[in-house]
Amino acid sequence: MKRASPVRQRLAALGLLGVPLLTYPLLSLPGGNLAGIPATYFYLFGVWAGLIALAAWVAERRGK
Amino acid sequence: MISGWLVAALSTFYLAVLFAVARFGDARADAGKSIISANVYALSLAVYCTSWTFFGSVGRATSGGLSFLTIYIGPTLMLMCVGVILKMIRISKVYRITSIADFIASRYGKSQLLAGLVTVIAVIGVVPYIALQLKAVAASLNVLFQQSDHALLPWWLDSTLLIAAVLALFTILFGTRHLDATERHEGMVAAVAFESVVKLVAFIAVGLFVTYGMFGGLSDIFQRATESPELARLLQLDSSRAGTWTAMILLSGLAIIFLPRQFQIIVVENVDESHLKRAVWLFPLYLLLINVFVLPLALGGLLHFNGQGFNPDTFVLTLPLARGAESLALLAFIGGLSAATGMVIVETIALSTMVCNDLVMPFLLRSTWLKTEKQQDLSGLLIGIRRVAIVLILLLGYIYFRAAGEAYALVGIGLISFAAVAQFAPAMFGGMYWKQGTRAGAVSGLLAGFGIWLYTLLLPSFAKSGWIGSGFVEQGLFGIGLLKAQALFGLSGLDEISHCLWWSLFANIGCYVAVSLNSKPDAVEASQAERFVDIFRHAGRDADARLWRGNASVEALVGLLERFLGPLRARQQLAIYAQGRGAVDWHSLPADADFVHFAESELAGAIGSASARVMVASVAQEEDLGLDEVLDILDEATQVRAYSKELEVKQQALEVATAELRGANERLRELDSMKDDFISTVTHELRTPLTSIRALSEMLHEDPEMDLSDRKRFLGIIVNEAERLTRLINQILDMAKLESGRAEWTTSEVDVGNLVREAIDSLGQLFREKGVALESEIPATGPIVLADRDRLTQVMINLLSNAVKFVPGGSGRVHVRVGSDQKSVRVVVSDNGPGLTAEECNVIFEKFRQGGNTMTDKPQGTGLGLPISRQIVEFFGGNLWVESQPGAGAAFIFTVPLPAPEA
């Protein structure tokens, strides 16, 4: 890894993006049920999985 | 029915497998074929998931709903700040840092005081956490044995102590193989990664079994939970606890890097910095997977054992047992066991290194006993201390577990531990990014934060367990209401963890910053601050070597190394170092600053940076560099960097200038050849009329009998050609003047409309002779521009005579229009002649280019009119160009800017 590499900055940006997405007040938005499963449950795991997928894409994109 | 022997055999077998994995890892590491890949590294980070995760998450979910997730979201977000973690890893590698205590101490001037303080905080904060692991194993054994006979072991030996002893043995075998604590414990890491897989598989197996075996899938569980008002509450997030939610994310985000075991795994055990790229997403994925079934398990347990009073912390075991799935329960037990053992092993190694290097060593180094036996090899003693520390820490954990039992002090300890290690954050982050942070600041910040943590979190947890009076919690210390431990200064409405986190970090950061700003660092501190903060820039040791000045002897330093590392390892490292400096062996090396630095960092790996500094100082007479001198040296290093950067910039500028010069040279050559072309063209152009004049004159001269009409015709031609010659020479002179800038200009106000009309009048005869219609569209007066009247007339006449030249006689039409906008006057002379191709439109303004085909037609002009016109127009700031298409006539347009309106 080089200094100030774009990969590192992108990952840090993802982490910063995660903070508002996974805290209040955004967290109080989803309500009700989706296919019998609470929407909050879906939202939390969905956003979390999304962040992980993006991080994987950013980190592994250009070989190792 | 699960028999005690089966459980014992299974546990023994599992631990044996663990031993085998660790041995394999160590064997491969010794053979130089490390099995620590990026995936293994990422999995080993999951040592974060202890039995507190494995059993406790379900328990937390039964009371707090989804809020247990914060403990795993925080690490996910923290890990994405790869830059921070990378910096920690790089610093630790370069300065051979072995623990978080060493890190903080080394940054703030290799301070033994600070190292000891951090160690004490870590031990007090974490030992109860180890006790919690033992308790989890004990509790899970209890659940398994509930149905069977309990008399497997004699009364004085209980299973938990046995487990603790086995763990101590394991840790000693794989955690203290080498003395050098920076040497990685690859076998242990491999075992931890293996355990991570086991606990994930076990937990997901139980989750699938409960969700799809005992219930009809996720939606079935959630549906049934919604029907009960009590359980429905767990499915909804309580937005009144928004503050707690965020605080937990912050807390767990800090814990993932500052818990001693996490620091050990992430930083000390890191083999390759690029492994971090895998961990950044694989470890969060692990956390996500292990949490998917937590809420379903909690709800399932509550639904299944409705009101039977089962402990929710053991749902992972009791749910499969309730359905008779004994082998699954055993798998769950093994999963819980692996979660507990992984945590205990790594945490004990990390703590034992800290205790040995930062608590015991400082005392040993001061004691006279060590000094009297100067030549003794101390490496064995060091390993011994570490082993004893491991046993003691585990024993301490066991005693705490026996004492606390079911008390609150043990149940709530997970988050209490997190809050303790969170106190390291200001000193760590400040140390990595803020050069001004001083030792005094770090010490006061840590003390303040730790004190508040003790008062608002740990002591109240003791009070709740009934060990001490709870007066300070309920009425406040000395009955002062403002000092109520969990509503400090009246701050209420927060839960106890957020309350403690808020106050302790407030005090910690406040003291750290305030004291740092008001204290002066000493020389060592200042240089360490520089090295830590600028680690990525200090690639070499340029400043390091100059920051030490004094007298030392190679023999004394080597003796020191041999004492602490053992003779074998010392010689090994010396040989590597000598090779790196290009020497045959170390005897020939000078005892210079670089050698002292090498010796100190080698020692730091074994006994910690603070003790290493003391030891090196004991054999080498170091000249005391004042703070100013150190800062000068560091400034110098910074300046050298700045100069080299400047040099680089200058070199680039030079390259640019060279390229420009080359371009200019090329243009000059081009101009030179153009000049040659010009001269040859001019001579050619002059010769054509001269030749015809000479030929005709000779004919007249040689034939006196020539007809009068012929003679007249010839003379007419001669006169015409002579005129053309004169015109040509005049124009060449004109051109030369214009180009050299020596032309004379008389600038005055010129009415363009008037000027164009005059030009048309003066050429009217020409148009009439050829039968060309001339139309004009000119305003009665103006527009007025500042220009040379005669020159502008010259342009106009040139354009008109060109037009009349190229239109067909009889049917030709020329149109002149004068217009203006706000900025300039625009004169258009358009005709219905043959027109020009796009290429011709460009070349027509070159010198000696003529319209029409010069090869077949007689030249009709000099080929200098348009270039001269263009030069004139451009001199007045305007433009001259042509718009044309073949066959559609041509429009010559020139503009002259209007004078700026007077203000």
Side-chain angles (χ1 to χ4, degrees):
Chain A
M1 282 193 195
K2 279 186 309 194
R3 196 148 66 98
S5 76
V7 176
R8 263 197 264 157
Q9 293 186 22
R10 289 197 179 109
L11 287 173
L14 269 181
L16 289 181
L17 173 70
V19 175
L21 286 181
L22 292 172
T23 51
Y24 289 93
L26 276 191
L27 213 51
S28 55
L29 281 184
N33 289 301
L34 276 174
I37 296 170
T40 317
Y41 188 81
F42 257 128
Y43 176 80
L44 271 174
F45 279 97
V47 170
W48 195 3
L51 282 177
I52 293 170
L54 278 175
W57 181 65
V58 169
E60 306 281 336
R61 201 159 33 152
R62 269 173 243 134
K64 259 175 250 170
Chain B
M1 187 65 68
I2 298 172
S3 83
W5 289 113
L6 178 60
V7 174
L10 202 64
S11 311
T12 314
F13 174 73
Y14 175 70
L15 288 174
V17 170
L18 216 52
F19 270 84
V21 171
R23 271 225 69 81
F24 176 68
D26 271 339
R28 287 288 293 265
D30 290 343
K33 285 179 267 182
S34 171
I35 57 167
I36 309 300
S37 65
N39 291 331
V40 173
Y41 175 72
L43 281 174
S44 69
L45 289 192
V47 73
Y48 180 72
C49 298
T50 63
S51 63
W52 189 55
T53 298
F54 197 83
F55 297 118
S57 280
V58 177
R60 275 175 64 84
T62 57
S63 60
L66 280 167
S67 69
F68 72 93
L69 277 182
T70 50
I71 304 300
Y72 308 96
I73 289 173
T76 301
L77 300 180
M78 185 71 216
L79 218 57
M80 288 186 184
C81 302
V82 183
V84 180
I85 299 171
L86 198 69
K87 193 165 188 180
M88 271 168 42
I89 294 179
R90 182 71 62 83
I91 290 172
S92 301
K93 287 216 167 119
V94 172
Y95 298 110
R96 301 180 71 92
I97 278 162
T98 54
S99 67
I100 192 159
D102 204 12
F103 192 102
I104 293 178
S106 179
R107 158 64 178 81
Y108 297 102
K110 304 178 182 173
S111 151
Q112 286 186 331
L113 167 73
L114 208 44
L117 180 62
V118 172
T119 306
V120 169
I121 296 177
V123 170
I124 294 180
V126 172
V127 161
Y129 201 5
I130 292 175
L132 181 68
Q133 307 303 313
L134 298 177
K135 174 185 147 69
V137 176
S140 59
L141 280 173
N142 274 342
V143 170
L144 288 183
F145 288 150
Q146 236 152 28
Q147 306 118 319
S148 67
D149 54 313
H150 214 145
L152 182 65
L153 297 165
W155 62 270
W156 50 267
L157 185 67
D158 73 287
S159 48
T160 317
L161 183 59
L162 203 63
I163 298 260
V166 173
L167 288 179
L169 185 69
F170 186 96
T171 313
I172 284 171
L173 278 180
F174 293 99
T176 57
R177 288 177 74 234
H178 311 281
L179 171 70
D180 188 348
T182 54
E183 190 99 328
R184 289 175 295 270
H185 312 93
E186 296 200 357
M188 183 200 75
V189 174
V192 167
F194 172 73
E195 291 199 305
S196 296
V197 176
V198 171
K199 62 195 180 200
L200 181 64
V201 168
F203 195 86
I204 287 184
V206 175
L208 288 173
F209 175 78
V210 173
T211 311
Y212 294 96
M214 295 174 64
F215 293 87
L218 277 181
S219 53
D220 179 42
I221 291 190
F222 284 124
Q223 219 108 56
R224 286 168 63 175
T226 326
E227 284 158 20
S228 142
E230 218 177 299
L231 296 190
R233 186 184 55 83
L234 295 181
L235 299 180
Q236 300 306 323
L237 284 172
D238 183 2
S239 53
S240 67
R241 286 168 58 81
T244 306
W245 183 279
T246 314
M248 292 300 159
I249 287 186
L250 172 68
L251 188 60
S252 56
L254 295 178
I256 189 67
I257 44 180
F258 296 143
L259 276 170
R261 67 170 187 281
Q262 296 303 137
F263 188 87
Q264 178 83 23
I265 289 284
I266 294 180
V267 177
V268 181
E269 303 289 347
N270 176 278
V271 181
D272 183 342
E273 283 173 7
S274 70
H275 288 176
L276 211 52
K277 273 197 195 172
R278 182 68 51 83
V280 80
W281 64 270
L282 190 56
F283 173 59
L285 183 64
Y286 183 98
L287 294 180
L288 182 125
L289 289 177
I290 207 165
N291 277 304
V292 170
F293 288 111
V294 169
L295 193 60
L297 271 178
L299 296 174
L302 289 175
L303 287 168
H304 191 81
F305 303 119
N306 193 9
Q308 288 178 40
F310 275 92
N311 180 0
D313 280 348
T314 55
F315 277 172
V316 181
L317 291 168
T318 47
L319 278 171
L321 281 177
R323 273 297 168 91
E326 291 184 346
S327 46
L328 186 63
L330 282 176
L331 178 64
F333 166 73
I334 292 295
L337 182 67
S338 66
T341 52
M343 181 275 185
V344 171
I345 290 168
V346 183
E347 199 84 84
T348 336
I349 288 178
L351 283 182
S352 73
T353 310
M354 281 158 72
V355 167
C356 168
N357 287 355
D358 303 320
L359 283 184
V360 182
M361 279 313 286
F363 283 106
L364 274 188
L365 296 182
R366 286 207 183 91
S367 73
T368 46
W369 172 77
L370 204 66
K371 284 187 184 127
T372 52
E373 299 178 55
K374 267 242 170 230
Q375 292 312 309
Q376 197 188 359
D377 175 5
L378 291 177
S379 59
L381 175 75
L382 280 173
I383 290 192
I385 293 174
R386 255 177 230 167
R387 289 181 177 160
V388 172
I390 287 171
V391 173
L392 280 180
I393 289 166
L394 272 169
L395 199 63
L396 219 58
Y398 177 74
I399 292 169
Y400 193 86
F401 153 68
R402 291 315 274 176
E406 291 301 316
Y408 173 83
L410 196 45
V411 182
I413 197 65
L415 285 174
I416 296 180
S417 284
F418 280 22
V421 296
Q423 303 310 321
F424 302 148
M428 285 288 285
F429 288 136
M432 283 194 287
Y433 293 98
W434 190 40
K435 289 181 191 169
Q436 181 57 44
T438 65
R439 174 167 53 218
V443 169
S444 53
L446 276 173
L447 279 177
F450 178 62
I452 289 187
W453 170 79
L454 214 58
Y455 185 68
T456 61
L457 211 50
L458 192 69
L459 293 181
S461 86
F462 288 175
K464 275 189 198 171
S465 314
W467 299 346
I468 53 176
S470 59
F472 71 102
V473 181
E474 277 148 27
Q475 288 93 39
L477 198 62
F478 314 122
I480 302 169
L482 282 183
L483 293 181
K484 276 190 204 170
Q486 303 204 314
L488 208 55
F489 304 117
L491 183 71
S492 57
L494 293 172
D495 66 300
E496 54 184 37
I497 300 287
S498 321
H499 172 266
C500 163
L501 191 68
W502 202 92
W503 275 121
S504 60
L505 282 187
F506 177 70
N508 191 334
I509 295 172
C511 288
Y512 174 65
V513 173
V515 176
S516 288
L517 289 178
N518 289 303
S519 58
K520 254 186 118 94
D522 65 28
V524 184
E525 265 183 273
S527 60
Q528 287 297 93
E530 180 80 17
R531 288 170 183 165
F532 271 51
V533 174
D534 287 340
I535 183 75
F536 288 115
R537 272 188 260 162
H538 284 296
R541 285 182 180 172
D542 52 336
D544 290 1
R546 279 180 299 143
L547 282 174
W548 192 90
R549 200 185 300 150
N551 291 313
S553 80
V554 174
E555 278 66 32
L557 285 169
V558 170
L560 205 59
L561 286 178
E562 286 182 350
R563 269 178 88 201
F564 284 96
L565 301 183
L568 195 72
R569 185 163 168 77
R571 310 259 154 181
Q572 231 174 341
Q573 296 301 102
L574 275 167
I576 294 172
Y577 172 72
Q579 209 171 17
R581 284 189 68 179
V584 189
D585 74 325
W586 57 269
H587 291 285
S588 56
L589 287 173
D592 58 3
D594 198 53
F595 189 83
V596 174
H597 183 81
F598 154 76
E600 189 176 328
S601 69
E602 280 300 316
L603 276 178
I607 59 175
S609 54
S611 305
R613 182 175 162 74
V614 173
M615 286 323 293
V616 168
S618 74
V619 299
Q621 279 77 49
E622 181 178 354
E623 239 177 77
D624 200 10
L625 294 184
L627 175 63
D628 291 339
E629 200 168 346
V630 167
L631 291 180
D632 280 349
I633 292 173
L634 292 172
D635 279 350
E636 212 175 291
T638 319
Q639 255 168 16
V640 168
R641 273 200 304 277
Y643 283 147
S644 77
K645 204 165 276 173
E646 217 170 280
L647 215 63
E648 218 167 275
V649 170
K650 275 193 182 149
Q651 192 182 343
Q652 267 168 7
L654 212 64
E655 266 163 31
V656 170
T658 315
E660 267 170 18
L661 277 176
R662 197 171 294 134
N665 192 27
E666 218 126 275
R667 268 199 306 284
L668 275 177
R669 281 164 191 273
E670 217 170 277
L671 282 177
D672 192 44
S673 77
M674 268 169 73
K675 193 191 79 189
D676 291 347
D677 283 355
F678 179 76
I679 287 172
S680 69
T681 319
V682 166
T683 11
H684 175 78
E685 293 291 328
L686 290 177
R687 204 157 52 199
T688 319
L690 267 179
T691 315
S692 78
I693 289 171
R694 189 177 152 201
L696 290 173
S697 313
E698 275 172 3
M699 279 166 73
L700 287 173
H701 177 73
E702 278 162 23
D703 187 4
E705 314 275 294
M706 189 178 280
D707 282 355
L708 191 64
S709 60
D710 279 346
R711 194 171 291 182
K712 219 171 174 179
R713 192 162 58 87
F714 282 177
L715 281 172
I717 293 173
I718 289 173
V719 171
N720 268 341
E721 288 295 308
E723 268 172 11
R724 197 160 94 87
L725 200 57
T726 318
R727 212 162 56 231
L728 196 60
I729 290 169
N730 280 341
Q731 283 190 337
I732 289 171
L733 284 174
D734 206 13
M735 190 83 208
K737 265 195 213 159
L738 283 177
E739 285 192 342
S740 65
R742 277 191 313 241
E744 280 168 23
W745 304 88
T746 48
T747 305
S748 60
E749 287 189 353
V750 180
D751 182 327
V752 178
N754 202 6
L755 182 143
V756 172
R757 264 191 295 272
E758 277 172 19
I760 289 174
D761 287 346
S762 68
L763 288 176
Q765 184 60 30
L766 198 65
F767 278 82
R768 277 190 293 277
E769 273 171 14
K770 206 175 170 187
V772 175
L774 177 60
E775 296 152 14
S776 60
E777 203 180 309
I778 304 164
T781 56
I784 292 179
V785 297
L786 281 177
D788 185 318
R789 187 183 178 84
D790 293 343
R791 289 290 186 181
L792 221 51
T793 308
Q794 187 185 347
V795 172
M796 202 54 222
I797 286 179
N798 180 260
L799 291 185
L800 285 171
S801 54
N802 271 353
V804 77
K805 239 180 267 171
F806 288 100
V807 290
S811 65
R813 285 204 354 221
V814 175
H815 185 95
V816 181
R817 189 154 53 83
V818 178
S820 66
D821 57 17
Q822 274 146 10
K823 278 188 252 158
S824 56
V825 181
R826 184 184 164 100
V827 180
V828 184
V829 180
S830 49
D831 61 51
N832 64 343
L836 299 161
T837 62
E839 197 198 345
E840 282 175 324
C841 282
N842 285 325
V843 298
I844 196 144
F845 291 102
E846 286 175 14
K847 287 163 210 151
F848 300 109
R849 289 289 180 151
Q850 308 244 359
N853 190 335
T854 42
M855 299 302 286
T856 53
D857 296 348
K858 188 174 180 294
Q860 287 171 304
T862 57
L864 280 174
L866 280 175
I868 289 177
S869 299
R870 180 174 253 188
Q871 290 238 354
I872 292 170
V873 171
E874 282 175 359
F875 179 83
F876 294 117
N879 276 317
L880 169 61
W881 72 97
V882 60
E883 286 171 6
S884 176
Q885 300 233 304
F892 284 83
I893 305 156
F894 74 87
T895 60
V896 181
L898 286 168
E902 275 172 45

